[in-house]
Amino acid sequence: KSPEGGGAGLIVRYKGSDTSQALTLLNGYSVLVMECTACAAGTYTAAGRPMVCSPCIAGKYSTVLGAAGDGVCRSCPQNTLSRAGSNSSADCACISGYTIDGFNG
């Protein structure tokens, strides 16, 4: 393998026929070029799954980039709900039967 540097990440290229160091993925595919990037806001890496960005569950959101663990996912206010992977409190909308006080829309 030979590192290529610069920028925010490190790209590692595997050369030759030795695949013992290559990352093995589902369905028999291998990664030939890997670049580490931060998980987007609304997602996090879970223990035991460092290569996967998992979404915050419905009813929670996160504004944190590169989060490790679901502890960054904050609950929406009472009587509101957001979709999975929400990245802002503005994604929390009133559930059926509730409205925002003072809203005349």
Side-chain angles (χ1 to χ4, degrees):
K1 57 187 177 179
S2 63
E4 295 178 5
L10 176 70
I11 299 172
V12 180
R13 296 186 191 279
Y14 293 89
K15 295 184 178 181
S17 60
D18 179 12
T19 58
S20 64
Q21 295 181 11
L23 175 65
T24 302
L25 301 176
L26 297 176
N27 300 324
Y29 289 92
S30 295
V31 173
L32 297 178
V33 178
M34 182 177 12
E35 183 175 356
C36 296
T37 58
C39 288
T43 66
Y44 61 92
T45 55
R49 300 190 69 196
M51 301 289 293
V52 177
C53 295
S54 301
C56 293
I57 63 171
K60 294 191 173 199
Y61 68 95
S62 173
T63 59
V64 179
L65 294 173
D70 65 352
V72 299
C73 299
R74 303 179 78 164
S75 295
C76 287
Q78 187 175 3
N79 300 318
T80 66
L81 190 62
S82 65
R83 71 189 188 296
S86 292
N87 61 14
S88 170
S89 61
D91 292 335
C92 301
C94 294
I95 60 174
S96 182
Y98 290 83
T99 187
I100 298 172
D101 288 338
F103 181 72
N104 295 318

